[in-house]
């Protein structure tokens, strides 16, 4: 029955067992590989006592042999078996004994569990022609998804061996499940009656303290188990295949469960009818029951690849409700989705199947937020990065869209990797206007105040100003209008257009700001040197960009020289300074009056003599010759 060579590599068995029986110790174990897998391992040691009654091989070896031989979806799944030293090991799918979880099972879950056990027994009776001989709670196991699996096949034997075999192992069977007339000739003529009686005892014990809940014909089934399956006359007990037709197992939920479980056997027409109304029927049951009991079947390969299911079922399954009271038609809330469906989706992302992956990617943005960041980073992201290297263009396109949905959660550095730099700048006029709004407002207010003061201090409407002077009111208005014209300038976002705008004589430039510092002028054409300087900086900026053909999502390069954002429009911003004012002091006497002309950076409004005095209104040509500078 196996040897050391068949032992699983990378196997780590937990020291503390979860179950200890007369035949073995049941441990949880982990297998390291592409992805860590959790399994159950049964360990037994040889015993002369067992050998004397069961014969050779030992009970665990017989169970392993039968599990390997009689395979069925409702029978405990065999993984491997081997001997090491004087111990024998059996590895199966991860399960725990029903005894440890029966108290937390509701009536609907028990109904589905009993249905699975019935299907396994019907398979053994009608296909394999063998009898289980030890149906009880200790021979039933439960998977992490909540499915019941039939185990305990160490007592199994063929129908023709029942007479002698049952007597030999009687002391190791569940005593309450043994009929008092089992040894009679009548009992042995109906081979399936032994398991039927034991199943009736099992169902009665499990349903004893349960409420009907959502299961119809609950009381009728309990009465059926008592009167029919436990009937003293073995010939009056129903075949287990007939028990499957009882109303207890044919209500709506069980019908959905049975159809999904047997989906490969259904015709296309039956699938279209079934999936067309399935979502409406599922809404009538508690969502946690649907997710726990039907989650694996609803996300099975056959469902994901069915055309009708893709259109009428999956959009409501793979998109959780926005809140617990959501009425958007989706089936599961976020909390239920995270508990029952996320673990299955994580497993499905490890499947390298194009059809399955494309279906997941199609709805990826609907459930990506239900993953934890650690799950996205360590499990989902690595599998997506494999997809972008595939030769299937459709798969690559869908994968890149999924990666874009992860960026807001994990950040671009985690998703695309590599060193990055700020290679783009925001050149929209509104952004520049907001950025310098405070400074511009301050300068505008100060300039307006200065202009108003000049207007009040100087009033020479009847004659032109002296050489080199300008009308202060016109100057202020011109500059303010120019500033608003600058703010409304519609700048383009491309480098070529910016250069074109720089060369346009209609656009302001930094040269205008430089001229304002000495004298206010209306010339807005930038100098040729300025344009060449800006073109040179802009050309250098474009030169550091990487060739687009060299970009790679995991190896993109960024330039170290672009350490800070450069504003190409700096030289085109107007700089408005305070105006230069000619301040003439009032002369004390006419004969020796001297005018001191001073350039004022700020406007002095508090002085008594500000500007030209009213006495100079009749200033003529003769007096002008006496002015000393």
């Amino acid at each position: 029955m196996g040897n050391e060579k068949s032992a699983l590599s990378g196997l780590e068995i937990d020291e503390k067992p979860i179950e200890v029986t007369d035949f073995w110790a049941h441990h949880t174990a982990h297998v390291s590989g592409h992805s860590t897998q959790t399994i159950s391992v049964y360990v037994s040691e040889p015993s002369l006592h067992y050998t004397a009654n069961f014969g050779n091989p030992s009970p665990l070896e017989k169970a392993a042999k039968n599990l390997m031989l009689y395979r069925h979806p409702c029978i405990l799944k065999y993984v491997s078996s081997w001997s090491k030293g004087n111990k024998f090991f059996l590895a199966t799918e991860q399960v725990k004994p029903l005894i440890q979880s029966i108290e937390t099972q509701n009536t609907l879950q028990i109904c589905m569990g009993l249905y699975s056990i019935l299907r396994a027994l019907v398979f053994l009776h009608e296909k394999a022609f063998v009898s289980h001989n030890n149906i009880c709670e200790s021979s039933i196991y439960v998977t992490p998804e909540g499915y019941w699996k039939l185990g305990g096949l160490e007592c199994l034997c063929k129908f023709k061996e029942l007479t002698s075999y049952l007597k030999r192992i009687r002391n190791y069977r569940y005593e309450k499940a043994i009929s008092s007339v089992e040894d009679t000739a009548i009992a042995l003529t109906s081979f399936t009656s032994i398991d039927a009686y034991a199943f009736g005892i099992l169902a009665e014990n499990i349903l004893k303290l349960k409420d009907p809940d959502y299961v119809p014909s609950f009381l009728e089934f309990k009465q059926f188990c008592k009167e029919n399956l436990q009937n003293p006359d073995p010939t009056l007990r129903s075949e287990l295949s007939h028990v499957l037709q009882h109303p207890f197992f044919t209500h709506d939920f069980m019908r959905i469960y049975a159809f999904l479980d047997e989906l490969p056997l259904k015709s296309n027409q039956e699938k279209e009818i079934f999936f067309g109304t399935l979502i409406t029927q599922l809404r009538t049951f508690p969502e946690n029951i649907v997710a726990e009991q039907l989650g694996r079947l609803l996300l099975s390969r056959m469902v994901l690849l069915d055309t009708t299911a893709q259109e009428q079922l999956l959009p409501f399954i793979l998109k959780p409700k926005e809140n617990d009271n959501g009425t958007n038609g989706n089936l599961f809330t976020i909390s239920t989705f995270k508990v029952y469906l996320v673990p299955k989706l994580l497993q499905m992302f490890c499947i390298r199947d194009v059809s399955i992956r494309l279906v997941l990617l199609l709805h990826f943005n609907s459930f990506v937020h239900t993953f934890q960041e650690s799950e996205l980073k360590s499990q989902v992201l690595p599998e997506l990065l494999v997809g972008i290297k595939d030769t299937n263009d459709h798969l690559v396109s869908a994968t890149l869209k999924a990666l874009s949905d992860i960026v807001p959660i994990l950040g671009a550095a985690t998703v695309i990797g590599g060193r990055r730099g700020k290679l783009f700048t925001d050149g929209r006029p509104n952004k520049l206007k907001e950025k310098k709004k405070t400074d511009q407002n301050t300068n505008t207010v100060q300039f307006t105040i200065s202009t108003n003061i000049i207007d009040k201090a100087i009033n020479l409407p009847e004659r032109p100003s002296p050489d080199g002077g300008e009308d202060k009111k016109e100057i202020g208005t011109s500059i303010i209008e120019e500033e608003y014209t600058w703010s409304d300038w519609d700048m383009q976002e491309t480098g070529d257009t910016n250069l074109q705008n720089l060369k346009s004589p209609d656009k302001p430039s930094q040269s205008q700001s430089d001229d304002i510092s000495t004298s206010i002028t209306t010339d807005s054409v930038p100098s040729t040197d300025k344009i060449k300087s800006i073109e040179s900086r802009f050309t250098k900026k474009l030169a550091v960009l990487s060739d687009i053909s060299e970009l790679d999502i995991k190896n993109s390069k960024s330039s170290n020289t672009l350490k800070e954002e450069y504003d190409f429009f700096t030289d085109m911003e107007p700089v408005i300074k305070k105006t230069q004012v000619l301040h003439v002091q009032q002369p004390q006497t006419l004969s020796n009056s001297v005018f001191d002309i001073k350039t004022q950076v700020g406007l002095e409004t508090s002085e008594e003599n500000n500007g030209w005095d009213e006495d100079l209104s009749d200033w003529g040509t003769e007096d002008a010759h006496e002015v000393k500078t």
Side-chain angles (χ1 to χ4, degrees), residues 46-59:
S47 172
L48 296 176
H49 178 66
Y50 299 151
T51 304
N53 293 274
F54 276 88
N56 197 9
S58 65

Side-chain angles (χ1 to χ4, degrees), residues 443-457 472-473 476 577-579 581 601-603 605:
N443 294 336
T444 303
V445 171
Q446 292 177 352
F447 186 81
T448 303
I449 295 174
S450 302
T451 305
N452 293 336
I453 295 173
I454 294 174
D455 291 341
K456 293 181 180 178
K472 303 303 183 293
K473 184 175 182 180
K577 298 184 178 180
K578 296 180 180 179
T579 58
V581 180
V601 178
L603 296 177
T605 60

Side-chain angles (χ1 to χ4, degrees), residues 292-311:
E292 183 176 3
Q293 299 301 320
L294 302 180
R296 181 182 65 87
L297 295 174
L298 290 173
L299 296 179
S300 66
R301 176 183 176 83
M302 297 301 299
V303 173
L304 293 177
L305 299 184
D306 186 85
T307 304
T308 307
Q310 291 176 358
E311 297 176 355

Side-chain angles (χ1 to χ4, degrees), residues 518-534:
T518 57
S519 63
I520 301 176
T521 178
T522 59
D523 184 12
S524 61
V525 180
S527 64
T528 304
D529 294 338
K530 284 290 182 180
I531 294 177
K532 291 182 178 180
S533 176
I534 295 175

Side-chain angles (χ1 to χ4, degrees), residues 484-524:
Y484 283 107
T485 302
W486 176 267
S487 300
D488 294 337
W489 180 43
D490 185 13
M491 292 184 295
Q492 302 296 324
E493 294 184 0
T494 61
D496 295 339
T497 308
N498 285 334
L499 292 177
Q500 182 179 358
N501 291 339
L502 285 172
K503 298 178 180 179
S504 174
D506 296 332
K507 300 294 186 287
S509 65
Q510 183 63 28
S511 61
Q512 181 182 5
S513 302
D514 297 338
D515 293 340
I516 292 175
S517 62
T518 57
S519 63
I520 301 176
T521 178
T522 59
D523 184 12
S524 61

Side-chain angles (χ1 to χ4, degrees), residues 201-221:
I201 296 294
L202 172 68
E204 183 183 8
N205 292 339
I206 292 177
L207 297 174
K208 185 184 301 182
L209 302 177
K210 298 296 179 179
D211 298 324
D213 290 341
Y214 295 92
V215 182
S217 303
F218 175 78
L219 297 178
E220 291 83 348
F221 181 70

